Amino acid sequence: MSAKEMLSSPDSTLLSDTLATLRRVIFGVVAGGFLGVVVGVGLGSVRLLRAALEPTLSALYVVPKLALLPLFMTILGLGERPLLAIVSWTVFFYVWIYTMEAVIAIPEGYLEAARSLNASWLRTLLHVTIPSALPQLFVALRVGVNVSVIMIVAAEFLVGTTGLGYLIFDSRRIFSNDAMFVGIVIVSLMGVTLAGIVAWTGRRITPWARSSRLD
């Protein structure tokens, strides 16, 4: 099928494959990002917890994520769940590291001011810790979005039956270069668009941040 037919034919799977990849990316960013924030704030705030868990998480971080895909398939079975798990797992590490380092880097004066006002742990978390870490968190999400697109396309190459990664690989297999390049372009546009949305949201939510990484 030519590129023109892919974009115009009602029988084309381009739209469904694009939506399948997009759905997996969004799920992975939300699930992995949430878990990364929780773990990052916890490890950044509690030194004992960080000393206990950071070495293990660091060891897991260096394992190539695609190498864990067979493990996820063994645990979760075939189908959608291993793909969602591998994307969530990938995003988690970026968000965890950035969030933990942002919490560790909070100036001690901010925390002392909260303590002098007898702020509870929860109020300190909501009014000091999280606002201070938000700029770095959005940087992590921006990186995580791009990496999640790369990861899901690679996973769809290997085990997917739908999605842009499967579309690109299948098009190459049947020597449909037009369709292959259409898939590659859409993957690129998806990554740029999602990263732009995250950056735009970060600028609106953290107007005090002057980091060029959100520009």
Side-chain angles (χ1 to χ4, degrees), residues 14-158:
L14 178 62
L15 179 59
S16 61
D17 286 329
T18 301
L19 292 178
T21 298
L22 180 62
R23 181 179 67 249
R24 292 160 184 160
V25 169
I26 292 175
F27 178 91
V29 170
V30 172
F34 175 77
L35 185 59
V37 169
V38 172
V39 175
V41 170
L43 268 62
S45 302
V46 183
R47 185 174 300 176
L48 183 61
L49 191 63
R50 183 165 68 250
L53 297 181
E54 186 179 6
T56 300
L57 290 174
S58 297
L60 291 173
Y61 171 69
V62 300
V63 176
K65 305 304 178 286
L66 280 178
L68 296 174
L69 186 56
L71 176 62
F72 286 132
M73 293 176 66
T74 301
I75 297 173
L76 302 173
L78 301 176
E80 193 76 3
R81 289 182 294 179
L83 297 175
L84 297 176
I86 197 70
V87 178
S88 302
W89 182 261
T90 301
V91 174
F92 160 76
F93 282 99
Y94 286 93
V95 176
W96 155 60
I97 290 173
Y98 275 82
T99 303
M100 182 182 68
E101 293 300 328
V103 172
I104 293 172
I106 294 175
E108 185 63 27
Y110 292 0
L111 301 175
E112 290 179 357
R115 286 193 290 266
S116 69
L117 295 173
N118 294 321
S120 65
W121 177 86
L122 181 60
R123 292 180 69 87
T124 301
L125 176 68
L126 296 177
H127 296 284
V128 178
T129 304
I130 292 180
S132 298
L134 270 179
Q136 284 292 97
L137 171 58
F138 277 102
V139 172
L141 287 175
R142 184 174 177 180
V143 174
V145 162
N146 285 324
V147 174
S148 69
V149 173
I150 297 171
M151 180 57 60
I152 193 57
V153 169
E156 289 169 349
F157 273 164
L158 297 175

Side-chain angles (χ1 to χ4, degrees), residues 182-202:
V182 168
I184 292 171
V185 169
I186 293 177
V187 167
S188 178
L189 292 175
M190 180 183 295
V192 170
T193 301
L194 292 176
I197 291 172
V198 171
W200 180 87
T201 304

